[in-house]
Amino acid sequence: MTTRPSPSEDRLLAYAAGTLSPPEAVVVSACLAMRPDVNGWVRRLQDVGGIVLDDLDPTPLQSDALARALARVDADTGEVVAEPPLNDMPELPEPLRRYPLGKWRKLGGGVEVRDVHAPRDGDTRVILLRIAPGQATPKHTHGGVELTCVISGAYATQHQAYRAGDFEEADEETLHQPRVISDEPCLCVAALDGQIILDGWLGRLIQPFVRL
């Protein structure tokens, strides 16, 4: 598909099938809006799914299905009304413009976080992260899965650099400390399950004060 950091094939298959959790789907959709190469691969998956559906035996409709469909057609004025953006950040990919945003919260060390009021799934929710140039998050692992898509700027971990449109998947086995390597702040959208878990004795000391 591509050598750039991208969603895993399993995650894209779940997205194409509509079985990905809502918060994770929001972050994947932001990546697809920025990555025509990955988006094209997902569309091919969806086309294959449509062919499979065509091969299935038809399911009988309810007796009033046609009448209900015609009633909806009669009620349709034919006017297409564009939905206005629901937040104040025009730099976001189009899928993220559909959701209201909370206020920016400063976590210290040049790190800010903003809630995205997208659908949640248990403890999994969507946030925006903005980190100043040259700054890093505390070294941490995770209480669950964390999916991150870079919107602007760039950051690097010990193993990989991530730039606009790139996608990182992390979990309980991932220990990393993203550091911004761009001259501009790095803006990311993330689906976060639970809280990050800070590493070391100092991390454990300040853990109660770091809430994403």
Side-chain angles (χ1 to χ4, degrees):
M1 180 175 56
T2 179
T3 57
R4 290 179 59 185
S6 305
S8 66
E9 290 189 4
D10 286 346
R11 193 151 267 116
L12 291 176
L13 283 167
Y15 179 87
T19 59
L20 200 60
S21 75
E24 293 186 359
V26 169
V27 179
V28 171
S29 67
C31 176
L32 298 182
M34 303 178 68
R35 297 280 301 278
D37 55 333
V38 181
N39 190 44
W41 196 80
V42 170
R43 289 191 176 279
R44 287 193 290 274
L45 286 176
Q46 292 170 330
D47 289 343
V48 170
I51 293 172
V52 171
L53 286 176
D54 286 341
D55 290 340
L56 296 177
D57 293 333
T59 301
L61 295 174
Q62 296 180 357
S63 59
D64 64 342
L66 178 59
R68 287 188 287 113
L70 292 175
R72 292 182 64 181
V73 171
D74 291 339
D76 187 0
T77 64
E79 181 180 0
V80 178
V81 179
E83 292 290 337
L86 295 180
N87 61 59
D88 59 355
M89 295 187 67
E91 66 269 35
L92 295 179
E94 188 277 330
L96 296 179
R97 298 301 313 282
R98 307 171 189 171
Y99 301 108
L101 304 174
K103 295 182 179 180
W104 284 109
R105 294 181 280 120
K106 295 183 183 294
L107 301 183
V111 180
E112 298 176 280
V113 63
R114 191 175 194 184
D115 294 325
V116 178
H117 297 306
R120 296 173 63 107
D121 182 23
D123 289 335
T124 307
R125 70 273 185 207
V126 182
I127 60 173
L128 293 175
L129 281 168
R130 186 167 61 192
I131 308 174
Q135 299 300 308
T137 69
K139 194 172 186 179
H140 65 276
T141 183
H142 308 85
V145 173
E146 180 189 68
L147 306 182
T148 304
C149 178
V150 181
I151 297 171
S152 60
Y155 72 85
T157 65
Q158 301 92 307
H159 308 292
Q160 179 75 52
Y162 298 88
R163 295 177 170 79
D166 287 347
F167 194 93
E168 182 183 12
E169 301 186 8
D171 58 22
E172 299 94 330
E173 298 181 358
T174 304
L175 178 64
H176 62 176
Q177 186 175 25
R179 177 176 296 277
V180 175
I181 57 174
S182 54
D183 294 333
E184 61 178 313
C186 184
L187 178 65
C188 301
V189 60
L192 185 65
D193 181 10
Q195 290 291 328
I196 64 172
I197 302 172
L198 303 185
D199 187 51
W201 69 267
L202 179 59
R204 290 191 292 272
L205 182 66
I206 66 175
Q207 180 78 60
F209 306 101
V210 180
R211 305 289 295 178
L212 297 183

